[in-house]
Amino acid sequence: QVTLVESGGGLVQAGGSLRLSCAASGLTFSDYVVSWFRQAPGKEREFVSTISGLGSHKQYIEAVKGRFISSRENTQNIAYLQMDNLKSEDTAVYYCAARFRAATTRPDDYDYWGQGTQVTVSS
């Protein structure tokens, strides 16, 4: 059974930082792309970032470029999203998701999801 568990969310002031973690089990982690999505109240789930299985390819939406960094440690089956210079518009529930081999930005393409972690940025 595949499970993804996020942690690291919380309340932070604008300009602050958080690091989200996504701990995976039940899969060969390096075979899976890990992507981060977020969903704000009343909005659709939005792609934020992706990292390839070996970490060589990363992609970000324009709104977080230069502020967020995806990384992963395959020996520990963990992926991270480092979020710096947070803004109020980053407030959302953040989800990690895993997909075999190929990255996409569409939530429906992902096989496995974590439960989500709340990030709240106060201005």
Side-chain angles (χ1 to χ4, degrees):
Q1 181 182 358
V2 175
T3 61
L4 301 177
V5 179
E6 298 105 335
S7 60
L11 173 63
V12 64
Q13 289 187 334
S17 297
L18 287 172
R19 187 177 78 160
L20 306 184
S21 299
C22 174
S25 62
L27 74 173
T28 303
F29 193 55
S30 59
D31 283 343
Y32 284 76
V33 166
V34 174
S35 293
W36 293 90
F37 293 81
R38 65 187 180 186
Q39 189 165 20
K43 295 188 176 181
E44 292 187 351
R45 194 165 295 190
E46 172 189 38
F47 169 81
V48 175
S49 176
T50 192
I51 183 167
S52 59
L54 297 181
S56 57
H57 172 72
K58 303 176 186 181
Q59 182 181 349
Y60 304 93
I61 57 171
E62 198 64 36
V64 308
K65 280 182 181 177
R67 301 189 298 120
F68 289 13
I69 298 175
S70 284
S71 62
R72 62 192 296 159
E73 180 51 69
N74 286 346
T75 60
Q76 298 183 22
N77 284 9
I78 299 178
Y80 300 101
L81 184 66
Q82 177 67 40
M83 306 186 296
D84 296 325
N85 191 22
L86 282 160
K87 305 177 180 181
S88 58
E89 52 263 43
D90 295 319
T91 295
V93 177
Y94 283 71
Y95 299 88
C96 66
R99 185 174 190 266
F100 184 70
R101 295 285 172 87
T104 81
T105 62
R106 297 178 300 184
D108 287 349
D109 290 339
Y110 283 78
D111 304 307
Y112 306 109
W113 289 84
Q115 80 286 359
T117 186
Q118 177 70 47
V119 171
T120 303
V121 184
S122 63
S123 56

